[in-house]
Amino acid sequence: NVITMAISQWTRLLVEDNLTMYTLADHTMEYIPCKAELASPTTDWDLTWQLVRLKGLGPDHSSFLWKLVHLLLPIKERIHRLSPTTSPLCTQCNDNMIENLLHTFDSCSNNNGAGPALVAVLRDHMPTINMEKIMRLEFTDLEEDMEYPAVWFTAAFLLAIWERRQSGTRIRCYEIRAELEGKISLLRETRFSEQV
């Protein structure tokens, strides 16, 4: 009944109808694939969306992962697409490379090997992982009890790289490691300590 519909019901109706969902011939609704899903059709996107919304991730990590997976981070390549007068080249290094996501987190010489260090750590639990899979949270061969630690660590590590790049700070793996070890210690003390 239109008269008794709440605002949330109106919002859902208006957003779902041909904006986020479309109606199939059998009158069922299906989500319209986003740009990231169309760019990588072999990815298990249901798993990716589940991992982005993992319970226990802080809002900074969830927000960052959401932007990363949806290809919404304001990297030079994306800014150039939106405003063609801007340069797509990375300003963090002298490699004369387009600043795309892979360059930003993996191959930029300013990162001092931080991206490959993340891949190496995750390979202990996922032998086939690479940076492209990490940026889509394609953690398909990960044991369920390792999902939260792997996603949290990935989000924290990539966010540390991103924040340093945005502030123009030199990226040093040992600093990121020390920062994450401190956060892990705090998590152990506050969330995962045994109840007395």
Side-chain angles (χ1 to χ4, degrees):
N1 187 352
V2 175
I3 296 173
T4 60
M5 284 177 65
I7 292 175
S8 61
Q9 291 171 315
W10 274 107
T11 303
R12 188 177 327 111
L13 176 71
L14 294 172
V15 170
E16 286 179 357
D17 189 21
N18 295 316
L19 186 58
T20 61
M21 300 185 89
Y22 58 92
T23 307
L24 299 173
D26 64 356
H27 301 290
T28 59
M29 300 287 284
E30 188 172 290
Y31 281 104
I32 297 171
C34 70
K35 182 172 131 182
E37 291 170 322
L38 294 172
S40 182
T42 59
T43 299
D44 180 357
W45 287 103
D46 289 336
L47 174 64
T48 297
W49 302 133
Q50 174 191 336
L51 295 178
V52 167
R53 295 186 308 265
L54 265 181
K55 186 175 181 177
L57 286 178
D60 52 343
H61 291 156
S62 292
S63 175
F64 174 76
L65 287 176
W66 191 259
K67 291 173 190 171
L68 173 71
V69 170
H70 274 286
L71 310 173
L72 295 175
L73 289 174
I75 56 173
K76 300 286 185 195
E77 179 186 51
R78 182 168 189 271
I79 294 169
H80 176 72
R81 271 196 323 272
L82 298 172
S83 176
T85 58
T86 60
S87 172
L89 298 179
C90 178
T91 56
Q92 302 278 326
C93 65
N94 296 321
D95 301 337
N96 205 29
M97 299 289 293
I98 291 177
E99 186 186 67
N100 57 25
L101 284 175
L102 191 58
H103 179 79
T104 299
F105 293 107
D106 191 46
S107 61
C108 182
S109 58
N110 185 56
N111 292 0
N112 292 315
L118 172 62
V119 173
V121 168
L122 292 176
R123 275 213 177 113
D124 287 345
H125 300 282
M126 297 175 282
T128 63
I129 200 73
N130 58 37
M131 187 54 80
E132 292 91 348
K133 289 181 178 182
I134 290 171
M135 291 186 301
R136 291 188 299 267
L137 293 182
E138 281 189 60
F139 293 175
T140 54
D141 51 351
L142 186 64
E143 296 175 23
E144 189 175 332
D145 64 331
M146 289 301 297
E147 278 183 354
Y148 178 79
V151 172
W152 182 90
F153 183 78
T154 299
F157 200 97
L158 292 177
L159 183 57
I161 292 172
W162 179 254
E163 288 173 343
R164 283 167 172 75
R165 287 181 67 88
Q166 295 307 295
S167 68
T169 305
R170 187 155 176 80
I171 297 170
R172 295 179 176 92
C173 279
Y174 67 88
E175 289 177 352
I176 294 174
R177 179 181 173 176
E179 179 182 319
L180 294 184
E181 285 175 351
K183 289 179 180 181
I184 290 169
S185 292
L186 183 62
L187 282 172
R188 282 186 182 138
E189 292 173 15
T190 59
R191 291 189 184 184
F192 302 111
S193 62
E194 292 186 63
Q195 300 294 326
V196 178

